[in-house]
PDB file of all heavy atoms in Angstrom:
ATOM      1  N   LYS Z 273     -10.529  -1.987  -9.610  1.00  0.00           N
ATOM      2  CA  LYS Z 273      -9.851  -2.011 -10.912  1.00  0.00           C
ATOM      3  C   LYS Z 273     -10.070  -3.369 -11.552  1.00  0.00           C
ATOM      4  O   LYS Z 273     -10.063  -4.399 -10.891  1.00  0.00           O
ATOM      5  CB  LYS Z 273      -8.363  -1.743 -10.753  1.00  0.00           C
ATOM      6  CG  LYS Z 273      -8.035  -0.358 -10.263  1.00  0.00           C
ATOM      7  CD  LYS Z 273      -6.715   0.064 -10.847  1.00  0.00           C
ATOM      8  CE  LYS Z 273      -6.623   1.544 -11.052  1.00  0.00           C
ATOM      9  NZ  LYS Z 273      -7.754   2.207 -11.609  1.00  0.00           N
ATOM     10  N   ALA Z 274     -10.213  -3.350 -12.878  1.00  0.00           N
ATOM     11  CA  ALA Z 274     -10.363  -4.602 -13.586  1.00  0.00           C
ATOM     12  C   ALA Z 274      -9.105  -5.451 -13.424  1.00  0.00           C
ATOM     13  O   ALA Z 274      -7.997  -4.929 -13.234  1.00  0.00           O
ATOM     14  CB  ALA Z 274     -10.580  -4.302 -15.072  1.00  0.00           C
ATOM     15  N   LEU Z 275      -9.294  -6.757 -13.487  1.00  0.00           N
ATOM     16  CA  LEU Z 275      -8.190  -7.695 -13.337  1.00  0.00           C
ATOM     17  C   LEU Z 275      -7.030  -7.346 -14.234  1.00  0.00           C
ATOM     18  O   LEU Z 275      -7.176  -7.182 -15.457  1.00  0.00           O
ATOM     19  CB  LEU Z 275      -8.685  -9.124 -13.637  1.00  0.00           C
ATOM     20  CG  LEU Z 275      -7.663 -10.227 -13.489  1.00  0.00           C
ATOM     21  CD1 LEU Z 275      -7.223 -10.336 -12.044  1.00  0.00           C
ATOM     22  CD2 LEU Z 275      -8.233 -11.535 -13.985  1.00  0.00           C
ATOM     23  N   GLY Z 276      -5.870  -7.160 -13.639  1.00  0.00           N
ATOM     24  CA  GLY Z 276      -4.636  -6.890 -14.392  1.00  0.00           C
ATOM     25  C   GLY Z 276      -4.359  -5.443 -14.689  1.00  0.00           C
ATOM     26  O   GLY Z 276      -3.257  -5.080 -15.105  1.00  0.00           O
ATOM     27  N   LYS Z 277      -5.318  -4.548 -14.477  1.00  0.00           N
ATOM     28  CA  LYS Z 277      -5.087  -3.105 -14.656  1.00  0.00           C
ATOM     29  C   LYS Z 277      -4.262  -2.592 -13.506  1.00  0.00           C
ATOM     30  O   LYS Z 277      -4.376  -3.044 -12.388  1.00  0.00           O
ATOM     31  CB  LYS Z 277      -6.424  -2.329 -14.731  1.00  0.00           C
ATOM     32  CG  LYS Z 277      -7.235  -2.700 -15.910  1.00  0.00           C
ATOM     33  CD  LYS Z 277      -6.594  -2.266 -17.218  1.00  0.00           C
ATOM     34  CE  LYS Z 277      -7.472  -2.636 -18.405  1.00  0.00           C
ATOM     35  NZ  LYS Z 277      -6.826  -2.269 -19.646  1.00  0.00           N
ATOM     36  N   VAL Z 278      -3.385  -1.650 -13.815  1.00  0.00           N
ATOM     37  CA  VAL Z 278      -2.464  -1.106 -12.773  1.00  0.00           C
ATOM     38  C   VAL Z 278      -2.590   0.412 -12.785  1.00  0.00           C
ATOM     39  O   VAL Z 278      -2.788   1.039 -13.849  1.00  0.00           O
ATOM     40  CB  VAL Z 278      -1.019  -1.518 -13.154  1.00  0.00           C
ATOM     41  CG1 VAL Z 278      -0.016  -0.925 -12.193  1.00  0.00           C
ATOM     42  CG2 VAL Z 278      -0.880  -3.033 -13.189  1.00  0.00           C
ATOM     43  N   ALA Z 279      -2.466   1.007 -11.609  1.00  0.00           N
ATOM     44  CA  ALA Z 279      -2.484   2.453 -11.477  1.00  0.00           C
ATOM     45  C   ALA Z 279      -1.508   2.861 -10.357  1.00  0.00           C
ATOM     46  O   ALA Z 279      -1.309   2.088  -9.380  1.00  0.00           O
ATOM     47  CB  ALA Z 279      -3.870   2.977 -11.176  1.00  0.00           C
ATOM     48  N   ILE Z 280      -0.934   4.014 -10.515  1.00  0.00           N
ATOM     49  CA  ILE Z 280      -0.099   4.586  -9.461  1.00  0.00           C
ATOM     50  C   ILE Z 280      -0.790   5.778  -8.864  1.00  0.00           C
ATOM     51  O   ILE Z 280      -1.365   6.578  -9.603  1.00  0.00           O
ATOM     52  CB  ILE Z 280       1.291   5.008 -10.022  1.00  0.00           C
ATOM     53  CG1 ILE Z 280       2.062   3.756 -10.491  1.00  0.00           C
ATOM     54  CG2 ILE Z 280       2.084   5.773  -8.957  1.00  0.00           C
ATOM     55  CD1 ILE Z 280       3.416   4.046 -11.069  1.00  0.00           C
ATOM     56  N   LYS Z 281      -0.804   5.821  -7.564  1.00  0.00           N
ATOM     57  CA  LYS Z 281      -1.485   6.934  -6.874  1.00  0.00           C
ATOM     58  C   LYS Z 281      -0.558   7.476  -5.786  1.00  0.00           C
ATOM     59  O   LYS Z 281       0.093   6.702  -5.065  1.00  0.00           O
ATOM     60  CB  LYS Z 281      -2.767   6.394  -6.219  1.00  0.00           C
ATOM     61  CG  LYS Z 281      -3.526   7.469  -5.489  1.00  0.00           C
ATOM     62  CD  LYS Z 281      -4.811   6.870  -4.916  1.00  0.00           C
ATOM     63  CE  LYS Z 281      -5.582   8.054  -4.365  1.00  0.00           C
ATOM     64  NZ  LYS Z 281      -6.380   7.806  -3.243  1.00  0.00           N
ATOM     65  N   LEU Z 282      -0.507   8.762  -5.651  1.00  0.00           N
ATOM     66  CA  LEU Z 282       0.280   9.408  -4.604  1.00  0.00           C
ATOM     67  C   LEU Z 282      -0.662   9.943  -3.555  1.00  0.00           C
ATOM     68  O   LEU Z 282      -1.520  10.781  -3.813  1.00  0.00           O
ATOM     69  CB  LEU Z 282       1.120  10.564  -5.172  1.00  0.00           C
ATOM     70  CG  LEU Z 282       1.932  11.382  -4.166  1.00  0.00           C
ATOM     71  CD1 LEU Z 282       2.912  10.469  -3.411  1.00  0.00           C
ATOM     72  CD2 LEU Z 282       2.664  12.501  -4.831  1.00  0.00           C
ATOM     73  N   GLY Z 283      -0.532   9.396  -2.326  1.00  0.00           N
ATOM     74  CA  GLY Z 283      -1.335   9.876  -1.202  1.00  0.00           C
ATOM     75  C   GLY Z 283      -2.819   9.585  -1.317  1.00  0.00           C
ATOM     76  O   GLY Z 283      -3.244   8.783  -2.122  1.00  0.00           O
ATOM     77  N   GLY Z 284      -3.592  10.269  -0.480  1.00  0.00           N
ATOM     78  CA  GLY Z 284      -5.027  10.102  -0.510  1.00  0.00           C
ATOM     79  C   GLY Z 284      -5.505   9.104   0.512  1.00  0.00           C
ATOM     80  O   GLY Z 284      -4.743   8.613   1.334  1.00  0.00           O
ATOM     81  N   SER Z 285      -6.788   8.822   0.456  1.00  0.00           N
ATOM     82  CA  SER Z 285      -7.425   7.941   1.428  1.00  0.00           C
ATOM     83  C   SER Z 285      -7.142   6.480   1.085  1.00  0.00           C
ATOM     84  O   SER Z 285      -6.673   6.143  -0.001  1.00  0.00           O
ATOM     85  CB  SER Z 285      -8.941   8.163   1.488  1.00  0.00           C
ATOM     86  OG  SER Z 285      -9.538   7.600   0.343  1.00  0.00           O
ATOM     87  N   ALA Z 286      -7.479   5.615   2.023  1.00  0.00           N
ATOM     88  CA  ALA Z 286      -7.294   4.179   1.839  1.00  0.00           C
ATOM     89  C   ALA Z 286      -8.389   3.585   0.939  1.00  0.00           C
ATOM     90  O   ALA Z 286      -8.220   2.461   0.441  1.00  0.00           O
ATOM     91  CB  ALA Z 286      -7.319   3.440   3.196  1.00  0.00           C
ATOM     92  N   ARG Z 287      -9.430   4.302   0.712  1.00  0.00           N
ATOM     93  CA  ARG Z 287     -10.568   3.825  -0.135  1.00  0.00           C
ATOM     94  C   ARG Z 287     -11.073   2.474   0.264  1.00  0.00           C
ATOM     95  O   ARG Z 287     -11.373   1.617  -0.564  1.00  0.00           O
ATOM     96  CB  ARG Z 287     -10.154   3.875  -1.595  1.00  0.00           C
ATOM     97  CG  ARG Z 287      -9.795   5.268  -2.076  1.00  0.00           C
ATOM     98  CD  ARG Z 287      -9.388   5.286  -3.522  1.00  0.00           C
ATOM     99  NE  ARG Z 287     -10.466   4.720  -4.324  1.00  0.00           N
ATOM    100  CZ  ARG Z 287     -10.268   4.273  -5.562  1.00  0.00           C
ATOM    101  NH1 ARG Z 287      -9.096   4.352  -6.098  1.00  0.00           N
ATOM    102  NH2 ARG Z 287     -11.281   3.790  -6.229  1.00  0.00           N
ATOM    103  N   GLY Z 288     -11.150   2.228   1.581  1.00  0.00           N
ATOM    104  CA  GLY Z 288     -11.668   0.977   2.082  1.00  0.00           C
ATOM    105  C   GLY Z 288     -10.695  -0.182   2.131  1.00  0.00           C
ATOM    106  O   GLY Z 288     -11.080  -1.283   2.504  1.00  0.00           O
ATOM    107  N   HIS Z 289      -9.450   0.017   1.760  1.00  0.00           N
ATOM    108  CA  HIS Z 289      -8.446  -1.066   1.777  1.00  0.00           C
ATOM    109  C   HIS Z 289      -7.838  -1.152   3.137  1.00  0.00           C
ATOM    110  O   HIS Z 289      -7.184  -0.199   3.633  1.00  0.00           O
ATOM    111  CB  HIS Z 289      -7.378  -0.787   0.718  1.00  0.00           C
ATOM    112  CG  HIS Z 289      -6.500  -1.952   0.466  1.00  0.00           C
ATOM    113  ND1 HIS Z 289      -5.541  -2.355   1.364  1.00  0.00           N
ATOM    114  CD2 HIS Z 289      -6.474  -2.849  -0.551  1.00  0.00           C
ATOM    115  CE1 HIS Z 289      -4.960  -3.435   0.896  1.00  0.00           C
ATOM    116  NE2 HIS Z 289      -5.481  -3.731  -0.290  1.00  0.00           N
ATOM    117  N   ASN Z 290      -8.051  -2.265   3.857  1.00  0.00           N
ATOM    118  CA  ASN Z 290      -7.591  -2.418   5.226  1.00  0.00           C
ATOM    119  C   ASN Z 290      -6.067  -2.375   5.385  1.00  0.00           C
ATOM    120  O   ASN Z 290      -5.543  -1.837   6.351  1.00  0.00           O
ATOM    121  CB  ASN Z 290      -8.110  -3.718   5.851  1.00  0.00           C
ATOM    122  CG  ASN Z 290      -9.610  -3.671   6.062  1.00  0.00           C
ATOM    123  OD1 ASN Z 290     -10.172  -2.588   6.248  1.00  0.00           O
ATOM    124  ND2 ASN Z 290     -10.268  -4.817   6.002  1.00  0.00           N
ATOM    125  N   GLY Z 291      -5.340  -2.907   4.443  1.00  0.00           N
ATOM    126  CA  GLY Z 291      -3.873  -2.856   4.514  1.00  0.00           C
ATOM    127  C   GLY Z 291      -3.325  -1.479   4.344  1.00  0.00           C
ATOM    128  O   GLY Z 291      -2.438  -1.039   5.083  1.00  0.00           O
ATOM    129  N   VAL Z 292      -3.904  -0.719   3.409  1.00  0.00           N
ATOM    130  CA  VAL Z 292      -3.492   0.686   3.222  1.00  0.00           C
ATOM    131  C   VAL Z 292      -3.899   1.498   4.471  1.00  0.00           C
ATOM    132  O   VAL Z 292      -3.094   2.316   4.976  1.00  0.00           O
ATOM    133  CB  VAL Z 292      -4.087   1.281   1.947  1.00  0.00           C
ATOM    134  CG1 VAL Z 292      -3.802   2.760   1.843  1.00  0.00           C
ATOM    135  CG2 VAL Z 292      -3.571   0.521   0.739  1.00  0.00           C
ATOM    136  N   GLN Z 293      -5.094   1.288   5.018  1.00  0.00           N
ATOM    137  CA  GLN Z 293      -5.525   2.010   6.204  1.00  0.00           C
ATOM    138  C   GLN Z 293      -4.590   1.707   7.366  1.00  0.00           C
ATOM    139  O   GLN Z 293      -4.266   2.596   8.150  1.00  0.00           O
ATOM    140  CB  GLN Z 293      -6.974   1.640   6.582  1.00  0.00           C
ATOM    141  CG  GLN Z 293      -7.497   2.450   7.750  1.00  0.00           C
ATOM    142  CD  GLN Z 293      -7.431   3.942   7.512  1.00  0.00           C
ATOM    143  OE1 GLN Z 293      -7.948   4.424   6.527  1.00  0.00           O
ATOM    144  NE2 GLN Z 293      -6.751   4.674   8.414  1.00  0.00           N
ATOM    145  N   SER Z 294      -4.159   0.468   7.498  1.00  0.00           N
ATOM    146  CA  SER Z 294      -3.232   0.081   8.540  1.00  0.00           C
ATOM    147  C   SER Z 294      -1.904   0.859   8.392  1.00  0.00           C
ATOM    148  O   SER Z 294      -1.345   1.347   9.388  1.00  0.00           O
ATOM    149  CB  SER Z 294      -2.968  -1.436   8.482  1.00  0.00           C
ATOM    150  OG  SER Z 294      -1.972  -1.813   9.409  1.00  0.00           O
ATOM    151  N   CYS Z 295      -1.425   1.013   7.156  1.00  0.00           N
ATOM    152  CA  CYS Z 295      -0.184   1.771   6.926  1.00  0.00           C
ATOM    153  C   CYS Z 295      -0.395   3.257   7.233  1.00  0.00           C
ATOM    154  O   CYS Z 295       0.481   3.876   7.868  1.00  0.00           O
ATOM    155  CB  CYS Z 295       0.257   1.573   5.460  1.00  0.00           C
ATOM    156  SG  CYS Z 295       0.827  -0.064   5.084  1.00  0.00           S
ATOM    157  N   ILE Z 296      -1.500   3.819   6.846  1.00  0.00           N
ATOM    158  CA  ILE Z 296      -1.807   5.217   7.097  1.00  0.00           C
ATOM    159  C   ILE Z 296      -1.842   5.453   8.643  1.00  0.00           C
ATOM    160  O   ILE Z 296      -1.230   6.399   9.130  1.00  0.00           O
ATOM    161  CB  ILE Z 296      -3.099   5.670   6.450  1.00  0.00           C
ATOM    162  CG1 ILE Z 296      -2.945   5.724   4.940  1.00  0.00           C
ATOM    163  CG2 ILE Z 296      -3.577   7.019   6.986  1.00  0.00           C
ATOM    164  CD1 ILE Z 296      -4.228   5.925   4.152  1.00  0.00           C
ATOM    165  N   SER Z 297      -2.487   4.543   9.349  1.00  0.00           N
ATOM    166  CA  SER Z 297      -2.626   4.699  10.805  1.00  0.00           C
ATOM    167  C   SER Z 297      -1.235   4.549  11.488  1.00  0.00           C
ATOM    168  O   SER Z 297      -0.909   5.328  12.349  1.00  0.00           O
ATOM    169  CB  SER Z 297      -3.575   3.641  11.364  1.00  0.00           C
ATOM    170  OG  SER Z 297      -4.854   3.885  10.868  1.00  0.00           O
ATOM    171  N   ALA Z 298      -0.471   3.543  11.107  1.00  0.00           N
ATOM    172  CA  ALA Z 298       0.802   3.279  11.730  1.00  0.00           C
ATOM    173  C   ALA Z 298       1.848   4.334  11.442  1.00  0.00           C
ATOM    174  O   ALA Z 298       2.690   4.665  12.283  1.00  0.00           O
ATOM    175  CB  ALA Z 298       1.316   1.886  11.338  1.00  0.00           C
ATOM    176  N   LEU Z 299       1.794   4.914  10.226  1.00  0.00           N
ATOM    177  CA  LEU Z 299       2.777   5.930   9.837  1.00  0.00           C
ATOM    178  C   LEU Z 299       2.299   7.356  10.133  1.00  0.00           C
ATOM    179  O   LEU Z 299       3.040   8.299   9.931  1.00  0.00           O
ATOM    180  CB  LEU Z 299       3.093   5.785   8.317  1.00  0.00           C
ATOM    181  CG  LEU Z 299       3.871   4.553   7.946  1.00  0.00           C
ATOM    182  CD1 LEU Z 299       3.746   4.301   6.437  1.00  0.00           C
ATOM    183  CD2 LEU Z 299       5.297   4.646   8.340  1.00  0.00           C
ATOM    184  N   HIS Z 300       1.044   7.466  10.523  1.00  0.00           N
ATOM    185  CA  HIS Z 300       0.420   8.776  10.777  1.00  0.00           C
ATOM    186  C   HIS Z 300       0.531   9.696   9.596  1.00  0.00           C
ATOM    187  O   HIS Z 300       0.806  10.861   9.699  1.00  0.00           O
ATOM    188  CB  HIS Z 300       1.062   9.471  12.026  1.00  0.00           C
ATOM    189  CG  HIS Z 300       1.070   8.589  13.235  1.00  0.00           C
ATOM    190  ND1 HIS Z 300      -0.075   8.253  13.913  1.00  0.00           N
ATOM    191  CD2 HIS Z 300       2.071   7.945  13.880  1.00  0.00           C
ATOM    192  CE1 HIS Z 300       0.245   7.478  14.927  1.00  0.00           C
ATOM    193  NE2 HIS Z 300       1.527   7.248  14.903  1.00  0.00           N
ATOM    194  N   SER Z 301       0.365   9.111   8.411  1.00  0.00           N
ATOM    195  CA  SER Z 301       0.476   9.877   7.147  1.00  0.00           C
ATOM    196  C   SER Z 301      -0.193   9.096   6.045  1.00  0.00           C
ATOM    197  O   SER Z 301      -0.290   7.853   6.088  1.00  0.00           O
ATOM    198  CB  SER Z 301       1.969  10.059   6.792  1.00  0.00           C
ATOM    199  OG  SER Z 301       2.093  10.704   5.547  1.00  0.00           O
ATOM    200  N   ASN Z 302      -0.617   9.812   5.016  1.00  0.00           N
ATOM    201  CA  ASN Z 302      -1.169   9.163   3.823  1.00  0.00           C
ATOM    202  C   ASN Z 302      -0.302   9.458   2.583  1.00  0.00           C
ATOM    203  O   ASN Z 302      -0.768   9.361   1.470  1.00  0.00           O
ATOM    204  CB  ASN Z 302      -2.614   9.560   3.578  1.00  0.00           C
ATOM    205  CG  ASN Z 302      -2.757  11.030   3.217  1.00  0.00           C
ATOM    206  OD1 ASN Z 302      -1.813  11.786   3.300  1.00  0.00           O
ATOM    207  ND2 ASN Z 302      -3.944  11.416   2.849  1.00  0.00           N
ATOM    208  N   GLU Z 303       0.943   9.904   2.802  1.00  0.00           N
ATOM    209  CA  GLU Z 303       1.805  10.345   1.726  1.00  0.00           C
ATOM    210  C   GLU Z 303       2.521   9.257   0.961  1.00  0.00           C
ATOM    211  O   GLU Z 303       3.324   9.554   0.078  1.00  0.00           O
ATOM    212  CB  GLU Z 303       2.850  11.333   2.283  1.00  0.00           C
ATOM    213  CG  GLU Z 303       2.256  12.597   2.817  1.00  0.00           C
ATOM    214  CD  GLU Z 303       3.299  13.562   3.296  1.00  0.00           C
ATOM    215  OE1 GLU Z 303       4.410  13.599   2.730  1.00  0.00           O
ATOM    216  OE2 GLU Z 303       3.030  14.261   4.286  1.00  0.00           O
ATOM    217  N   MET Z 304       2.227   7.996   1.226  1.00  0.00           N
ATOM    218  CA  MET Z 304       2.901   6.911   0.518  1.00  0.00           C
ATOM    219  C   MET Z 304       2.402   6.840  -0.927  1.00  0.00           C
ATOM    220  O   MET Z 304       1.224   7.118  -1.194  1.00  0.00           O
ATOM    221  CB  MET Z 304       2.628   5.567   1.184  1.00  0.00           C
ATOM    222  CG  MET Z 304       3.227   5.424   2.586  1.00  0.00           C
ATOM    223  SD  MET Z 304       2.259   6.316   3.856  1.00  0.00           S
ATOM    224  CE  MET Z 304       0.710   5.515   3.840  1.00  0.00           C
ATOM    225  N   THR Z 305       3.283   6.474  -1.810  1.00  0.00           N
ATOM    226  CA  THR Z 305       2.895   6.175  -3.195  1.00  0.00           C
ATOM    227  C   THR Z 305       2.361   4.768  -3.237  1.00  0.00           C
ATOM    228  O   THR Z 305       2.873   3.873  -2.595  1.00  0.00           O
ATOM    229  CB  THR Z 305       4.118   6.320  -4.137  1.00  0.00           C
ATOM    230  OG1 THR Z 305       4.622   7.660  -4.053  1.00  0.00           O
ATOM    231  CG2 THR Z 305       3.737   6.026  -5.592  1.00  0.00           C
ATOM    232  N   ARG Z 306       1.273   4.581  -4.004  1.00  0.00           N
ATOM    233  CA  ARG Z 306       0.661   3.225  -4.086  1.00  0.00           C
ATOM    234  C   ARG Z 306       0.639   2.732  -5.509  1.00  0.00           C
ATOM    235  O   ARG Z 306       0.225   3.454  -6.413  1.00  0.00           O
ATOM    236  CB  ARG Z 306      -0.796   3.290  -3.606  1.00  0.00           C
ATOM    237  CG  ARG Z 306      -0.942   3.645  -2.138  1.00  0.00           C
ATOM    238  CD  ARG Z 306      -1.628   4.932  -2.042  1.00  0.00           C
ATOM    239  NE  ARG Z 306      -1.543   5.567  -0.749  1.00  0.00           N
ATOM    240  CZ  ARG Z 306      -2.645   5.968  -0.107  1.00  0.00           C
ATOM    241  NH1 ARG Z 306      -3.808   5.784  -0.616  1.00  0.00           N
ATOM    242  NH2 ARG Z 306      -2.479   6.620   1.002  1.00  0.00           N
ATOM    243  N   LEU Z 307       1.051   1.512  -5.673  1.00  0.00           N
ATOM    244  CA  LEU Z 307       0.902   0.808  -6.936  1.00  0.00           C
ATOM    245  C   LEU Z 307      -0.267  -0.115  -6.735  1.00  0.00           C
ATOM    246  O   LEU Z 307      -0.234  -1.100  -5.986  1.00  0.00           O
ATOM    247  CB  LEU Z 307       2.171   0.020  -7.274  1.00  0.00           C
ATOM    248  CG  LEU Z 307       2.093  -0.803  -8.556  1.00  0.00           C
ATOM    249  CD1 LEU Z 307       1.851   0.089  -9.784  1.00  0.00           C
ATOM    250  CD2 LEU Z 307       3.377  -1.620  -8.725  1.00  0.00           C
ATOM    251  N   ARG Z 308      -1.410   0.223  -7.386  1.00  0.00           N
ATOM    252  CA  ARG Z 308      -2.650  -0.506  -7.205  1.00  0.00           C
ATOM    253  C   ARG Z 308      -2.822  -1.524  -8.344  1.00  0.00           C
ATOM    254  O   ARG Z 308      -2.797  -1.167  -9.530  1.00  0.00           O
ATOM    255  CB  ARG Z 308      -3.837   0.485  -7.194  1.00  0.00           C
ATOM    256  CG  ARG Z 308      -3.703   1.449  -6.025  1.00  0.00           C
ATOM    257  CD  ARG Z 308      -4.610   2.646  -6.077  1.00  0.00           C
ATOM    258  NE  ARG Z 308      -5.839   2.467  -6.814  1.00  0.00           N
ATOM    259  CZ  ARG Z 308      -6.464   3.461  -7.483  1.00  0.00           C
ATOM    260  NH1 ARG Z 308      -5.918   4.714  -7.462  1.00  0.00           N
ATOM    261  NH2 ARG Z 308      -7.533   3.249  -8.116  1.00  0.00           N
ATOM    262  N   ILE Z 309      -2.945  -2.783  -7.984  1.00  0.00           N
ATOM    263  CA  ILE Z 309      -3.047  -3.886  -8.935  1.00  0.00           C
ATOM    264  C   ILE Z 309      -4.504  -4.305  -8.989  1.00  0.00           C
ATOM    265  O   ILE Z 309      -5.045  -4.789  -7.957  1.00  0.00           O
ATOM    266  CB  ILE Z 309      -2.164  -5.078  -8.542  1.00  0.00           C
ATOM    267  CG1 ILE Z 309      -0.751  -4.631  -8.196  1.00  0.00           C
ATOM    268  CG2 ILE Z 309      -2.216  -6.157  -9.616  1.00  0.00           C
ATOM    269  CD1 ILE Z 309       0.050  -4.115  -9.328  1.00  0.00           C
ATOM    270  N   GLY Z 310      -5.146  -4.213 -10.120  1.00  0.00           N
ATOM    271  CA  GLY Z 310      -6.545  -4.613 -10.262  1.00  0.00           C
ATOM    272  C   GLY Z 310      -6.746  -6.101 -10.139  1.00  0.00           C
ATOM    273  O   GLY Z 310      -6.077  -6.888 -10.750  1.00  0.00           O
ATOM    274  N   ILE Z 311      -7.710  -6.456  -9.256  1.00  0.00           N
ATOM    275  CA  ILE Z 311      -8.080  -7.847  -9.095  1.00  0.00           C
ATOM    276  C   ILE Z 311      -9.557  -8.089  -9.420  1.00  0.00           C
ATOM    277  O   ILE Z 311     -10.036  -9.189  -9.452  1.00  0.00           O
ATOM    278  CB  ILE Z 311      -7.788  -8.362  -7.663  1.00  0.00           C
ATOM    279  CG1 ILE Z 311      -8.551  -7.619  -6.606  1.00  0.00           C
ATOM    280  CG2 ILE Z 311      -6.273  -8.374  -7.398  1.00  0.00           C
ATOM    281  CD1 ILE Z 311      -8.495  -8.241  -5.208  1.00  0.00           C
ATOM    282  N   GLY Z 312     -10.299  -6.995  -9.701  1.00  0.00           N
ATOM    283  CA  GLY Z 312     -11.720  -7.085 -10.064  1.00  0.00           C
ATOM    284  C   GLY Z 312     -12.566  -7.592  -8.937  1.00  0.00           C
ATOM    285  O   GLY Z 312     -12.083  -7.984  -7.899  1.00  0.00           O
ATOM    286  N   ARG Z 313     -13.823  -7.544  -9.176  1.00  0.00           N
ATOM    287  CA  ARG Z 313     -14.809  -8.081  -8.200  1.00  0.00           C
ATOM    288  C   ARG Z 313     -15.114  -9.538  -8.569  1.00  0.00           C
ATOM    289  O   ARG Z 313     -15.156  -9.875  -9.760  1.00  0.00           O
ATOM    290  CB  ARG Z 313     -16.104  -7.257  -8.225  1.00  0.00           C
ATOM    291  CG  ARG Z 313     -15.857  -5.809  -7.838  1.00  0.00           C
ATOM    292  CD  ARG Z 313     -16.513  -5.543  -6.548  1.00  0.00           C
ATOM    293  NE  ARG Z 313     -16.183  -4.182  -6.140  1.00  0.00           N
ATOM    294  CZ  ARG Z 313     -16.023  -3.864  -4.876  1.00  0.00           C
ATOM    295  NH1 ARG Z 313     -16.143  -4.726  -3.932  1.00  0.00           N
ATOM    296  NH2 ARG Z 313     -15.719  -2.613  -4.526  1.00  0.00           N
ATOM    297  N   PRO Z 314     -15.369 -10.367  -7.565  1.00  0.00           N
ATOM    298  CA  PRO Z 314     -15.680 -11.777  -7.868  1.00  0.00           C
ATOM    299  C   PRO Z 314     -16.935 -11.890  -8.716  1.00  0.00           C
ATOM    300  O   PRO Z 314     -17.807 -11.051  -8.662  1.00  0.00           O
ATOM    301  CB  PRO Z 314     -15.873 -12.388  -6.496  1.00  0.00           C
ATOM    302  CG  PRO Z 314     -15.468 -11.405  -5.467  1.00  0.00           C
ATOM    303  CD  PRO Z 314     -15.348 -10.083  -6.155  1.00  0.00           C
TER     304      PRO Z 314
END
């Protein structure tokens, strides 16, 4: 996501995000709501 852009997502995959994957693995579920904050690519 572009720097400063925000999106809300319900469930789904971690899309390569290690922190989200850690939560999915530890909770044995992907049903968490996510507030995704855009930081852009360097």
Side-chain angles (χ1 to χ4, degrees):
K273 293 211 150 316
L275 181 64
K277 295 293 180 182
V278 177
I280 294 179
K281 181 179 187 211
L282 176 60
S285 74
R287 298 180 56 200
H289 192 286
N290 291 332
V292 174
Q293 184 58 54
S294 175
C295 292
I296 290 171
S297 295
L299 291 163
H300 307 290
S301 175
N302 67 351
E303 294 182 34
M304 295 76 64
T305 300
R306 295 115 194 232
L307 177 61
R308 299 167 26 210
I309 312 293
I311 61 170
R313 297 248 176 216

